[in-house]
Amino acid sequence: MKVILLDELRGKGGEGDLVEVAQGYAENYLFPNKIAQPATPGNIKQLEQRRHNIEKREEKRIADANAMQVELDGKVVTVDAKVGENNQLFGSVTTAQIASAIKSQLGVEIDRKRITRTAAIKTAGKHDIEINLYREINARVSLHVGVVEDKLNEEALKEAAAEAVASDDASVAEKAAEEVVEETATGGEGQE
């Protein structure tokens, strides 16, 4: 089924493009979300009349995407994560975390859906990230996944050591150390 795109559809085209899509996709997704309209003779005639305005908007989108590409290309963004043995993360770094880090560190707001990943980021270190800004305009950002310093656990260990030294009693030192280990294992949950 031929449709006229009213907005960018990744992998198919941009506003004003005449594309072929499956009928079910058009009727169930594109038309209700106002991403496309049927390519009827009347709609095609209206498209020709609007072509000049569409070209102006397209030029602006391309210029904005190129400017954003210059801002982002080659930059380094850091995301902190908890790391276990062998530099393995507890979980993985999400596209939402990456988008948030780019906004806070570089001052550029991007949609998390524009971040393309080949695989989940589950290890600490450097990873290359590609961001699809608009159509074929992409930016490459280096993502450094760092280790979170758990300040609460450090403070608890210091307090336990100070308590043990002050009391000079081995049983108190052992109990304090056990509490710290237990709190670290549970992440401090369930305790008041």
Side-chain angles (χ1 to χ4, degrees):
M1 169 178 215
K2 284 199 179 285
V3 297
I4 300 169
L5 294 178
L6 301 175
D7 202 357
E8 181 191 12
L9 183 62
R10 283 176 57 184
K12 291 287 186 180
E15 182 183 6
D17 289 350
L18 193 64
V19 297
E20 186 76 31
V21 296
Q23 184 173 351
Y25 181 55
E27 291 175 355
N28 295 319
Y29 179 72
L30 297 178
F31 297 158
N33 291 315
K34 302 196 183 326
I35 298 172
Q37 65 184 13
T40 62
N43 287 341
I44 292 174
K45 189 173 184 180
Q46 285 180 353
L47 173 66
E48 293 306 320
Q49 293 171 351
R50 297 186 340 230
R51 183 67 69 187
H52 178 70
N53 292 338
I54 291 170
E55 287 173 4
K56 277 186 176 179
R57 284 193 296 268
E58 186 73 10
E59 287 174 10
K60 182 177 179 347
R61 288 180 189 132
I62 290 172
D64 290 346
N66 284 329
M68 196 178 291
Q69 180 185 29
V70 169
E71 282 185 57
L72 293 175
D73 250 353
K75 297 292 193 305
V76 177
V77 177
T78 303
V79 173
D80 292 331
K82 288 193 176 187
V83 178
E85 294 180 20
N86 300 327
N87 274 346
Q88 290 293 318
L89 301 181
F90 295 117
S92 63
V93 177
T94 64
T95 54
Q97 288 175 306
I98 297 169
S100 175
I102 289 172
K103 183 179 180 184
S104 67
Q105 295 171 26
L106 302 178
V108 178
E109 189 166 344
I110 60 166
D111 184 6
R112 68 177 178 82
K113 295 175 188 167
R114 298 251 177 218
I115 299 172
T116 54
R117 297 185 311 180
T118 54
I121 299 171
K122 294 187 173 196
T123 58
K126 184 182 171 201
H127 302 273
D128 291 326
I129 303 295
E130 187 171 73
I131 304 166
N132 177 263
L133 300 172
Y134 186 71
R135 293 200 180 201
E136 287 81 38
I137 302 172
N138 296 315
R140 296 191 193 297
V141 176
S142 290
L143 175 70
H144 178 74
V145 180
V147 180
V148 171
E149 296 298 326
D150 199 345
K151 296 191 184 328
L152 294 176
N153 289 340
E154 286 179 15
E155 289 174 13
L157 285 172
K158 286 179 185 174
E159 286 177 22
E163 226 177 89
V165 169
S167 71
D168 231 8
D169 185 3
S171 64
V172 172
E174 285 178 21
K175 185 176 180 183
E178 286 175 7
E179 287 176 7
V180 170
V181 169
E182 187 176 303
E183 189 173 315
T184 303
T186 61
E189 297 173 6
Q191 296 185 8
E192 296 180 23

